Amino acid sequence: MMKLPEQQRITAAIESIGCLHPVDSAALAAIFQRYAGLPFKLDGLNEMTTGRLSGADLRAAIPLLIQQGFLFSVKKIWGERLFYIPFDLLSSLQERYTVYPIELSNKVDIDLYKESKRGLAYDLFRILAWIEFNGLPVTVKGTPYQKALNKMEGQIHLTAEDIVGLSLYYTDQDVYSPHIAVVFDMLMKFDLIDKEQREWRLNTVNLRSWLELDIQEMNSAIFRQLLLRYVPSDAVLQHFVFRTASSDLSCGVWYGLQDVLTSLRRQGILKECISKEQDLWMRSWLTALCGFGWLELGYGQEEQLYLRWLVKPRFTKEMEFPKQQLIDAEALSVDMSEINISIAMNRHPRSGRCHIQPDFEILVPPDVSFEVRWVLEAFSDNITMDTMSVYQINRSSVTLAARQGLSSKEILAVLHEQSSGVPNNVRLAIEQWSREIEQIIIPEKQRSWSKDHKTVDTTFVGVISGVTGLPVEQGWIFSGRDYKSYERDDVIPTTTELFPGLEDIPVIWFKEMRDYHVSTARKIIAQALTWHTKIELQIQGETVEYLPLTLIGEESWKMKGVMFTMKDSIGVEHVLAPGEWEALRLIIPDIKRKMLQ
């Protein structure tokens, strides 16, 4: 059987979820509910008895779940194997196995507690623009100067209070405040900045690719990274973040935090009570989502917390891209002004138009592309950036543009192409300022472009979409499990690995229901306990399944376990002694059916 690339395996798995055998689907659901995207060992399944599923049933499902892409595995240096559900499957499994809807809270009077902010995508844009025009030199230790960091904090709306409750770990915590660390983390993860010997510089090639995205695509890329790297290694918290982002939560509707948790409890994921640490992190996560620009929080009756999505990022999947290649940057362009003009003079198919006012302000509606906004940064000052952004043209901004090589003719060409019209007084002023400036300024080449060969990362969009299965940490922040040092190992476990010692067990034990001597019956039950599997019993002519939990006594022994009739999905605890059954058989789950031919 030909092995498919990772993303194709995941896509095929998503499409085939509904075709799984009921036993395998139940096993996948149990693994998902217990571990979410966390790693687990084979023997970790032994104590996960759920309904009629025993630990043996869960282990026996592993081969098929690996083959069909529902599970991946890695191998530690010393050979120990870990299995996990790949990240790109988690949202689909959440949708499939979420059977308990969250109640709406429209009839509850809710007081707004925390508003949604501008958004992390806009904060990243402001920092990129600031670095472009101010540079970002570093100290001997390799960190930016504190004065520069303070100025950068003034460019963003995200604050330390928005994310401090997530307890994020990163290096140089004494230098970078938490919200600046998040911004730098995203810039590095998307490869938008490069750290050179004495400064951070923009990766201009990847920057162009980033600016081609619309706000929905940027939000989705950022949200994916948050889910991958900012959520602790706690299955309950992983389930929580995916449940709050499920498709059945609509934008503009209030949902109670307790109602979300009730849904997870009914699903069997949460216990009756969560820890104080988990509760604090959940509330901190919702607070962070407000800071990232996606939802708002309110309080209802009895100080109950409610959430309401305003902008809901989509879950993204990874695509494959070519490897890096060397490209002559000079062949692409050596002047940022040429890049700006080439962007601006080709209308973005999804971009709206700016509106230029006689008072020299440029109103930028939310549908104007980031490419156009970047060009505006070259010859105008940003006044506000929000739902409606505002720029202003003045003598100082036109002077700066001239230093970057932009003439009045080029500025006006951009404005005519990207706006609804240029007022005559604005046109005349730009032309007059340019004539005065051009007499004393020799245009300088843009600081951030070099004629040297540069490595152009043609995998950039793949980085934006994220990674499949194993997290790859290119940024600073990572709160989950670190798999990067583990070797991928998707070898299908053998029957002997799933049931150690199977070759030494008499075949008749699991082939035929029959009466056994008391000592042999005890050995069979002891083996069932070792494998965490069920036995089949015949009691008064009726066949039942029985999951032994423990043996009691030695010579005069009994067994304690859970009994299932053939019709029941929920068992009843029983204590049985030899002589209370007529025959028994050791049950080995149907592994052959689970192994694809």
Side-chain angles (χ1 to χ4, degrees):
M1 177 178 174
M2 183 178 66
K3 187 174 181 179
L4 296 174
E6 288 183 3
Q7 190 56 41
Q8 290 186 33
R9 290 176 62 196
I10 291 175
T11 300
I14 292 173
E15 294 174 351
S16 66
I17 289 178
C19 300
L20 281 174
H21 187 280
V23 174
D24 300 320
S25 180
L28 178 60
I31 293 172
F32 170 69
Q33 291 176 0
R34 172 64 178 83
Y35 291 107
L38 299 185
F40 61 90
K41 303 174 186 177
L42 276 180
D43 57 12
L45 303 177
N46 291 337
E47 307 301 327
M48 284 178 50
T49 301
T50 171
R52 298 184 76 101
L53 285 179
S54 65
D57 293 319
L58 295 171
R59 294 198 312 277
I62 296 297
L64 180 135
L65 295 179
I66 290 178
Q67 287 183 330
Q68 294 201 357
F70 293 102
L71 291 178
F72 286 178
S73 67
V74 291
K75 183 168 59 177
K76 293 185 176 181
I77 296 175
W78 53 90
E80 183 182 45
R81 294 187 70 181
L82 297 174
F83 303 86
Y84 62 95
I85 298 173
F87 172 83
D88 284 318
L89 270 177
L90 296 178
S91 62
S92 297
L93 295 181
Q94 180 67 253
E95 299 288 344
R96 178 162 185 83
Y97 296 124
T98 299
V99 294
Y100 299 103
I102 299 173
E103 295 183 7
L104 304 182
S105 303
N106 290 333
K107 296 182 180 180
V108 178
D109 292 330
I110 297 171
D111 295 324
L112 187 62
Y113 154 66
K114 191 170 185 62
E115 293 182 316
S116 174
K117 293 192 174 179
R118 174 175 69 188
L120 186 52
Y122 290 106
D123 285 347
L124 295 182
F125 181 88
R126 293 299 327 136
I127 293 298
L128 288 167
W130 191 90
I131 294 174
E132 173 61 32
F133 291 103
N134 294 279
L136 191 59
V138 297
T139 66
V140 176
K141 293 176 58 178
T143 60
Y145 290 91
Q146 192 60 51
K147 183 178 180 180
L149 291 174
N150 292 338
K151 290 183 177 180
M152 293 173 73
E153 287 188 19
Q155 295 291 316
I156 64 177
H157 284 192
L158 188 69
T159 65
E161 290 73 21
D162 293 326
I163 56 175
V164 67
L166 298 182
S167 301
L168 301 174
Y169 173 79
Y170 54 92
T171 58
D172 295 317
Q173 294 196 22
D174 59 326
V175 176
Y176 301 96
S177 54
H179 53 310
I180 286 293
V182 168
V183 169
F184 268 88
D185 177 64
M186 291 296 168
L187 294 179
M188 287 190 294
K189 182 61 187 180
F190 298 138
D191 204 14
L192 297 174
I193 56 176
D194 296 321
K195 190 174 184 181
E196 300 186 357
Q197 186 174 4
R198 296 183 178 179
E199 66 177 332
W200 284 97
R201 302 181 70 174
L202 299 185
N203 183 325
T204 49
V205 177
N206 284 352
L207 174 61
R208 288 197 65 180
S209 298
W210 177 256
L211 295 176
E212 289 175 358
L213 303 179
D214 60 29
I215 185 63
Q216 291 81 13
E217 291 167 332
M218 288 183 179
N219 279 332
S220 294
I222 293 168
F223 190 49
R224 178 186 178 90
Q225 290 307 315
L226 296 173
L227 294 176
L228 268 171
R229 301 187 293 114
Y230 284 46
V231 183
S233 294
D234 184 320
V236 168
L237 299 182
Q238 287 195 6
H239 280 298
F240 172 76
V241 299
F242 278 95
R243 186 67 186 95
T244 54
S246 296
S247 62
D248 62 330
L249 275 74
S250 302
C251 286
V253 178
W254 286 109
Y255 298 92
L257 173 60
Q258 291 305 316
D259 294 328
V260 175
L261 299 181
T262 297
S263 172
L264 291 173
R265 287 190 184 95
R266 296 179 67 189
Q267 194 178 339
I269 290 173
L270 294 189
K271 298 178 181 178
E272 282 303 310
C273 296
I274 58 175
S275 68
K276 291 182 179 179
E277 292 76 14
Q278 288 172 330
D279 179 72
L280 175 61
W281 192 92
M282 291 175 181
R283 293 171 183 269
S284 299
W285 174 256
L286 297 178
T287 299
L289 295 185
C290 294
F292 298 145
W294 299 326
L295 58 74
E296 57 189 6
L297 298 175
Y299 279 111
Q301 299 174 352
E302 298 180 358
E303 294 298 306
Q304 293 296 315
L305 187 65
Y306 290 82
L307 63 105
R308 176 166 64 183
W309 286 98
L310 300 181
V311 176
K312 200 172 181 186
R314 299 186 299 266
F315 292 108
T316 59
K317 301 295 186 292
E318 183 199 34
M319 295 181 289
E320 295 183 357
F321 293 88
K323 296 181 179 180
Q324 292 185 351
Q325 53 183 308
L326 287 176
I327 297 178
D328 191 340
E330 186 175 11
L332 293 173
S333 176
V334 296
D335 196 316
M336 193 60 179
S337 65
E338 296 174 15
I339 293 293
N340 287 339
I341 294 301
S342 68
I343 291 174
M345 295 309 296
N346 292 279
R347 286 201 54 76
H348 195 290
R350 294 177 291 181
S351 181
R353 288 184 177 274
C354 304
H355 304 287
I356 305 173
Q357 306 300 299
D359 62 357
F360 295 88
E361 285 192 345
I362 305 175
L363 305 182
V364 183
D367 61 346
V368 173
S369 73
F370 283 91
E371 292 176 296
V372 173
R373 294 167 189 263
W374 186 260
V375 178
L376 294 179
E377 296 280 343
F379 58 79
S380 60
D381 294 335
N382 177 251
I383 307 302
T384 61
M385 176 166 282
D386 212 315
T387 303
M388 176 68 76
S389 298
V390 179
Y391 287 81
Q392 186 177 61
I393 304 173
N394 52 53
R395 181 184 175 88
S396 175
S397 67
V398 174
T399 300
L400 179 60
R403 292 186 182 278
Q404 311 308 318
L406 282 174
S407 67
S408 61
K409 182 179 179 180
E410 290 167 328
I411 292 174
L412 289 171
V414 170
L415 293 177
H416 279 295
E417 179 64 27
Q418 303 297 342
S419 74
S420 56
V422 182
N424 194 49
N425 68 308
V426 174
R427 177 184 62 80
L428 292 173
I430 292 175
E431 291 174 342
Q432 176 63 29
W433 291 333
S434 295
R435 281 194 299 270
E436 297 171 359
I437 294 167
E438 288 168 1
Q439 294 176 5
I440 58 175
I441 292 180
I442 299 176
E444 302 170 353
K445 291 297 184 182
Q446 179 72 357
R447 174 190 55 77
S448 64
W449 277 82
S450 169
K451 294 184 180 182
D452 299 329
H453 284 78
K454 297 178 71 70
T455 299
V456 178
D457 187 359
T458 57
T459 65
F460 172 72
V461 181
V463 174
I464 291 177
S465 295
V467 292
T468 302
L470 305 183
V472 178
E473 296 76 59
Q474 290 177 250
W476 278 344
I477 298 171
F478 188 75
S479 298
R481 286 293 293 267
D482 182 2
Y483 299 103
K484 64 182 179 181
S485 61
Y486 298 163
E487 177 187 353
R488 276 295 304 274
D489 180 23
D490 286 333
V491 175
I492 305 300
T494 64
T495 303
T496 302
E497 289 179 87
L498 297 173
F499 295 94
L502 179 62
E503 66 278 6
D504 300 323
I505 299 298
V507 175
I508 196 171
W509 283 11
F510 52 86
K511 285 291 186 181
E512 182 180 335
M513 172 95 75
R514 56 175 293 179
D515 185 20
Y516 289 96
H517 185 272
V518 173
S519 60
T520 304
R522 183 183 174 92
K523 291 180 181 178
I524 293 174
I525 295 165
Q527 188 61 58
L529 286 168
T530 299
W531 284 343
H532 296 265
T533 192
K534 298 190 289 287
I535 59 176
E536 203 170 53
L537 298 174
Q538 191 174 56
I539 300 177
Q540 297 179 355
E542 180 184 1
T543 300
V544 299
E545 290 185 349
Y546 188 88
L547 179 62
L549 299 178
T550 186
L551 278 169
I552 305 171
E554 293 296 333
E555 293 186 6
S556 178
W557 57 270
K558 298 179 180 180
M559 65 175 174
K560 179 181 179 180
V562 181
M563 184 183 297
F564 302 87
T565 68
M566 292 306 173
K567 297 180 180 180
D568 295 333
S569 59
I570 300 177
V572 179
E573 194 169 288
H574 278 275
V575 176
L576 298 175
E580 294 189 56
W581 63 83
E582 295 93 49
L584 80 160
R585 180 178 72 89
L586 182 65
I587 295 178
I588 303 294
D590 186 5
I591 302 175
K592 290 185 178 180
R593 176 184 59 76
K594 301 175 185 294
M595 303 292 284
L596 300 183
Q597 301 300 318

